[in-house]
Amino acid sequence: MQYKSNLSDDILIALRRVIRAIDQHSRKLVQSHGLTGPQALILNEIVRNGPLTGSILAKNISLSQATVTDIVKRLEQKQLLTKTRDNVDKRKLYLAPTEQGNQLILMSVPLLQESFEKKLSELKGWEQTQLLASLQKIAEMMNAEHLDAAPMLTSGAIDATPEAVKEAIDPS
């Protein structure tokens, strides 16, 4: 008996491929750099635009202050960034990369969304808009339009530890 593919199956297969590509990239990032996607995103933002306060950082990368605080704590424990109080306003804490954090980003921690953004920018405006509308409709069809999401392609919880990401991706 020959299996006949239908449009629904083709869409689900395409979605599964996207999910798998994100999972594979997340696994490679943890294995090669010891960072989760969100940790790499935050460290990258601080290296490129820092020193930054936590609130400015959260705004720049579209994550909540609480999420950023948790990820920053993990990066600080790994000695990839430091916190420094402002000399004038002691309430302000600035986040800056350590030399180790700076070197890690300069070694070009690969962020999946960077290559995606490059390829997306090569499309015509109407193609970009069509993709957005289609993906928004899919999110709505999956009752996911209300979920918070940052502009990053990574698997696992945003504030997951590398160990939790490894376990989620490869539970063996």
Side-chain angles (χ1 to χ4, degrees):
M1 179 178 189
Q2 178 90 14
Y3 176 75
K4 290 186 180 181
S5 177
N6 63 37
L7 188 57
S8 175
D9 287 346
D10 291 343
I11 291 170
L12 291 171
I13 288 168
L15 283 171
R16 184 66 190 137
R17 285 181 176 147
V18 169
I19 292 166
R20 289 191 63 206
I22 292 168
D23 287 348
Q24 287 175 358
H25 183 268
S26 294
R27 184 181 324 113
K28 287 177 188 172
L29 185 61
V30 169
Q31 290 171 348
S32 66
H33 293 83
L35 295 175
T36 64
Q39 289 171 344
L41 180 72
I42 284 177
L43 189 56
N44 189 38
E45 183 69 20
I46 293 169
V47 167
R48 304 238 187 276
N49 301 304
L52 300 170
T53 63
S55 59
I56 291 172
L57 175 63
K59 183 180 174 192
N60 286 358
I61 60 173
S62 302
L63 288 175
S64 73
Q65 178 73 44
T67 300
V68 167
T69 299
D70 191 47
I71 296 169
V72 162
K73 182 174 41 171
R74 293 186 203 291
L75 291 170
E76 194 176 23
Q77 289 169 347
K78 292 179 179 216
Q79 300 178 343
L80 297 174
L81 64 79
T82 60
K83 295 177 185 174
T84 308
R85 287 219 180 269
D86 186 287
N87 290 333
V88 177
D89 185 349
K90 300 293 182 192
R91 296 172 296 173
K92 285 187 181 178
L93 277 175
Y94 284 94
L95 307 169
T98 62
E99 185 57 36
Q100 181 183 355
N102 210 18
Q103 289 303 315
L104 191 58
I105 293 301
L106 294 177
M107 288 181 356
S108 187
V109 173
L111 297 176
L112 187 56
Q113 61 264 22
E114 289 174 352
S115 64
F116 173 79
E117 288 169 355
K118 181 182 181 306
K119 290 176 183 175
L120 181 66
S121 72
E122 295 169 357
L123 296 177
K124 293 182 172 114
W126 69 266
E127 291 173 303
Q128 294 176 19
T129 303
Q130 186 179 34
L131 278 172
L132 174 61
S134 296
L135 289 170
Q136 287 173 332
K137 188 58 156 177
I138 289 170
E140 180 185 317
M141 292 166 65
M142 294 180 148
N143 297 319
E145 72 274 15
H146 66 280
L147 298 176
D148 286 338
M152 69 180 75
L153 297 173
T154 187
S155 64
I158 289 223
D159 56 356
T161 63
E163 295 77 22
V165 173
K166 283 181 188 175
E167 178 64 27
I169 292 172
D170 188 18
S172 55

